[in-house]
Amino acid sequence: MGKAWGGRFEGGTDPRVERFTESISFDARLAEVDIRGSIAHATMLAEVGLLTAAEAQSIAAALKEIGQEIAAGKMEHRIDLEDIHMHVESALIARLGDVGRKLHTGRSRNDQVATDLKLYVRQTLDAVDALLADVQGAFVERCELDEGVILPGYTHLQRAQPVLAAHYWLAYCEKFQRDRERLADCRKRVQISPLGAAALAGSSLPINRHRSAELLGFDAPAANSLDVSSDRDFLIEFVFDLSLIAAHLSTWAEEWILWSTTEFGFLKLPDAYTTGSSIMPQKRNPDVLELTRGKAARVMADVSQLLILVKGLPLAYNRDLQEDKVALFDAIDTIVACLELAPAVVAGARLNRERIAARLEEGFLDATTLMEYLILRGVPMRTGHETVGKLVRLCESRGCKLADLPLAELQSACPQIEADVSKVLGTTNAINAFQSYGSTGRAQVAEQVEAWRKRLQISDH
Ligand code: ARG
């Protein structure tokens, strides 16, 4: 069979050009959405009288069969057929002859590929959202497992203030929640149908774009054919959303890589998710976390690739856009692989409570709480800061903790200090002192854990 666009050409295409321009090697995975889009299109064509009902039915039936064959791996890829759209259409024509030749009425591959991409992004977006909920669920479940455990919190990777383990876990839940909200927002724009925008200008045929949009579960047809046939904003947004998920995963991965070192000794990673060394018999390497961190680079690069791809493209469709799928699929595959492994790593790791507790009084995690104690007794904040700073210096010179300083010495540094200062000194007391909304205070964190359990519909046990 000749090319679908062969009419105005005299000679054949150079095989090197066919190899250069094909996309079947990477767009074959659009087969399922392509067929769904075509069935909806054919249904609409019959409703407006551009196909008979019998024609539309035989097209739909044949497309379903073709879909099953493709799913069973029975379709041979031919670079002379360029892309998945031509593969499906030529299989249809091989089955139905002239009836198959009518399917492409009132559309072009330009709106077809945009429609396919939106359908594909929509289902992937929903799958990624569910995977994010799984990761959140794993963190929320940990809150119970690690109830009461206090960890050092860091700024500049220097010990800063004490934090409940659950506060750490819920911090990641918040980040992934924003990722989910971003996906939901992106979905609104994915929900606008390109189908029937045709090549760029729409059609002189009486197609019903509202109807094909509705049949495919879109919210509305796009109002400007010139815009939507070339629009890849939704795809770039989606990959950006994925890149921010990658950033969050890489922060988590890096933190846990550090925490599982001998130097930190906070965390033991689950055996099934660590690997050994080919030369050093003692090694347990956090490869899953390292690759989660490393693969984030790919997703971030994919966003840049897409932005650079569309930069300066004139309206409307340009063949450059075929390359969008390379970056899109890479970003999807990378993020899905990371998200599929993350919940098991989160759930399977164990905090080394003794090691953590043994060093918890190092680093003056209670210093800020002591300063706030002074503020509550009328000391101006800056003066309190200075006073506690001097006390820390004194402790360092003696190799002791703030809680070790005799009351008289504390009082000579600051007369407002009373015997009840002991209630804010030491890491546990410092934790107990927190009360602001969103803080690491015990009541605050317990409330948040409850809220997350509800939000994620995790049952009590
Ligand atoms: N394979 C093409 C793509 O992915 C489909 C659209 C082709 N359109 C065209 N006018 N050649 O972009």
Side-chain angles (χ1 to χ4, degrees):
M1 194 193 303
K3 291 197 192 302
W5 41 259
R8 59 107 63 228
F9 290 83
E10 256 173 50
T13 315
D14 185 322
R16 290 176 304 174
V17 171
E18 289 183 335
R19 273 200 300 281
F20 188 70
T21 54
E22 66 86 21
S23 57
I24 186 62
S25 56
F26 53 87
D27 68 13
R29 68 161 90 184
L30 294 175
E32 191 267 327
V33 289
D34 191 69
I35 285 171
R36 247 197 295 148
S38 289
I39 291 174
H41 183 66
T43 306
M44 177 279 290
L45 289 179
E47 286 175 7
V48 300
L50 287 165
L51 289 177
T52 67
E55 284 171 338
Q57 271 160 22
S58 57
I59 286 175
L63 284 172
K64 280 180 193 152
E65 277 173 32
I66 293 166
Q68 281 158 5
E69 281 180 15
I70 294 175
K74 286 194 196 134
M75 176 176 276
E76 189 204 335
H77 292 173
R78 283 174 38 190
I79 56 168
D80 60 311
L81 287 177
E82 293 187 29
D83 55 27
I84 187 61
H85 323 293
M86 297 302 233
H87 276 73
V88 172
E89 192 181 331
S90 79
L92 185 73
I93 293 169
R95 274 179 167 73
L96 304 181
D98 274 349
V99 174
R101 287 191 183 89
K102 294 184 178 183
L103 171 64
H104 213 49
T105 303
R107 76 171 185 192
S108 120
R109 266 188 296 164
N110 299 346
D111 58 332
Q112 185 181 358
V113 70
T115 304
D116 288 7
L117 286 170
K118 283 196 161 175
L119 292 173
Y120 193 85
V121 165
R122 183 173 71 190
Q123 69 192 29
T124 309
L125 187 153
D126 292 343
V128 169
D129 183 68
L131 287 169
L132 284 169
D134 290 346
V135 182
Q136 289 178 312
F139 274 116
V140 171
E141 295 286 6
R142 277 213 75 97
C143 293
E144 197 164 324
L145 183 72
D146 300 321
E147 201 183 336
V149 175
I150 302 172
L151 286 161
Y154 299 84
T155 64
H156 314 264
L157 204 54
Q158 305 292 316
R159 287 199 169 200
Q161 291 186 280
V163 169
L164 289 175
H167 203 48
Y168 262 110
W169 309 154
L170 295 188
Y172 285 105
C173 287
E174 296 283 347
K175 292 183 194 300
F176 292 128
Q177 189 63 24
R178 287 195 296 276
D179 293 332
R180 295 181 66 187
E181 287 166 15
R182 258 184 294 277
L183 289 174
D185 191 64
C186 172
R187 201 179 193 284
K188 294 183 212 157
R189 286 168 290 280
V190 172
Q191 276 295 78
I192 302 303
S193 174
L195 192 55
L200 77 164
S203 175
S204 61
L205 299 168
I207 56 171
N208 184 347
R209 294 192 54 223
H210 290 82
R211 179 63 178 144
S212 56
E214 177 185 59
L215 286 167
L216 290 169
F218 288 117
D219 292 338
N224 186 305
S225 61
L226 191 58
D227 164 44
V228 79
S229 61
S230 61
D231 168 40
R232 293 295 181 274
D233 295 2
F234 68 97
L235 194 150
I236 301 173
E237 266 187 73
F238 177 58
V239 175
F240 169 75
D241 293 351
L242 297 185
S243 78
L244 216 39
I245 296 170
H248 294 148
L249 285 170
S250 77
T251 293
W252 161 67
E254 167 65 1
E255 191 159 87
W256 279 26
I257 289 166
L258 281 174
W259 286 9
S260 64
T261 57
T262 305
E263 284 69 19
F264 272 80
F266 288 1
L267 195 73
K268 182 176 181 297
L269 295 170
D271 272 345
Y273 300 91
T274 49
T275 51
S277 154
S278 57
I279 177 168
M280 298 165 285
Q282 86 286 10
K283 290 297 287 288
R284 281 175 88 254
N285 292 329
D287 298 39
V288 171
L289 292 173
E290 291 170 281
L291 283 170
T292 297
R293 186 179 58 189
K295 284 172 189 287
R298 298 170 63 124
V299 187
M300 293 167 185
D302 290 327
V303 187
S304 311
Q305 187 179 336
L306 286 167
L307 284 169
I308 297 164
L309 182 68
V310 299
K311 180 195 171 294
L313 281 189
L315 297 182
Y317 178 83
N318 296 276
R319 191 62 177 268
D320 314 44
L321 291 177
Q322 179 166 287
E323 294 282 318
D324 61 0
K325 285 165 281 298
V326 179
L328 172 69
F329 296 151
D330 182 62
I332 290 172
D333 293 346
T334 306
I335 275 297
V336 167
C338 294
L339 287 175
E340 280 177 347
L341 278 175
V345 180
V346 171
R350 287 295 168 267
L351 285 178
N352 193 342
R353 291 173 180 234
E354 291 77 41
R355 277 287 302 263
I356 295 165
R359 300 193 57 189
L360 204 55
E361 301 303 330
E362 291 176 32
F364 304 98
L365 294 168
D366 51 355
T368 307
T369 327
L370 174 59
M371 179 192 73
E372 289 182 343
Y373 168 93
L374 299 183
I375 291 170
L376 283 175
R377 271 146 199 82
V379 179
M381 185 271 170
R382 282 285 156 234
T383 313
H385 188 284
E386 169 93 14
T387 304
V388 176
K390 282 184 181 147
L391 290 171
V392 166
R393 187 139 51 93
L394 181 65
C395 288
E396 273 175 342
S397 72
R398 290 188 195 163
C400 74
K401 308 182 289 274
L402 285 168
D404 296 333
L405 295 174
L407 181 60
E409 214 155 349
L410 289 167
Q411 285 174 326
S412 75
C414 175
Q416 284 92 331
I417 293 179
E418 290 165 45
D420 65 354
V421 71
S422 64
K423 293 206 186 95
V424 297
L425 292 179
T427 306
T428 305
N429 286 334
I431 274 283
N432 293 340
F434 283 96
Q435 56 170 323
S436 63
Y437 176 79
S439 74
T440 195
R442 291 185 199 272
Q444 289 297 324
V445 172
E447 251 175 59
Q448 292 296 329
V449 172
E450 252 330 285
W452 276 105
R453 294 188 78 89
K454 273 212 192 86
R455 201 171 298 160
L456 298 173
Q457 295 177 329
I458 299 173
S459 54
D460 289 324
H461 34 140

